[in-house]
């Protein structure tokens, strides 16, 4: 069994968020709750309770970032592909390559 990146998220400036996990897309909301330093980034998906990360520090805990919505997650109801197609040590560069390959195959 292989595991791909745990998840890819898009945070819309209006408070909406989309999380891509495996082969699923989930719509939700993000907000900042006051924390000890910069605040805590919190999420709500569906009817689930809010889940908050630690203090907000861009680039912490091995996270990677891209500007904008490069995978068009805000407009999707289905995943572009199953993230489990990638190895556990994959990063966003690997997601970019597979996304480009899958998109090119659809266009042909």
């Amino acid at each position: 069994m292989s595991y791909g990146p745990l998840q890819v998220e898009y945070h819309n400036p209006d408070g909406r968020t989309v999380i891509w996990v495996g082969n699923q897309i989930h719509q939700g909301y993000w907000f900042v709750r006051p924390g000890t330093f910069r605040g805590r980034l919190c999420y709500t998906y569906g009817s689930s309770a809010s889940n908050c990360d630690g203090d907000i520090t861009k680039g912490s805990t091995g996270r990677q970032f891209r500007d904008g919505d490069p995978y068009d997650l805000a407009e999707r109801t289905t995943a572009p592909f199953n993230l489990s197609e990638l190895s556990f040590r994959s990063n966003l560069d690997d997601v970019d390559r597979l996304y480009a390959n899958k998109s090119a195959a659809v266009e042909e």
Side-chain angles (χ1 to χ4, degrees):
M1 180 182 298
S2 69
Y3 298 91
L6 295 178
Q7 61 194 35
V8 175
E9 299 173 1
Y10 170 66
H11 297 84
N12 195 315
D14 69 4
R16 290 179 295 136
T17 188
V18 182
I19 188 169
W20 171 14
V21 182
N23 65 352
Q24 298 182 352
I25 295 287
H26 301 281
Q27 307 284 332
Y29 296 92
W30 68 272
F31 58 96
V32 176
R33 181 172 286 160
T36 57
F37 182 58
R38 291 189 172 115
R40 296 172 56 124
L41 188 56
C42 302
Y43 303 91
T44 301
Y45 293 98
S47 61
S48 65
S50 298
N51 180 24
C52 298
D53 286 343
D55 285 341
I56 299 169
T57 306
K58 187 173 180 177
S60 65
T61 65
R63 295 179 181 175
Q64 294 181 300
F65 295 86
R66 295 281 191 272
D67 289 335
D69 184 11
Y71 312 116
D72 300 317
L73 297 179
E75 307 301 320
R76 292 186 177 277
T77 56
T78 60
F81 58 87
N82 193 331
L83 288 172
S84 66
E85 294 179 37
L86 298 168
S87 76
F88 183 70
R89 291 189 173 91
S90 296
N91 58 39
L92 285 179
D93 292 335
D94 299 313
V95 175
D96 291 344
R97 277 190 289 280
L98 190 53
Y99 182 78
N101 290 343
K102 300 268 184 187
S103 297
V106 168
E107 291 175 9
E108 291 178 353

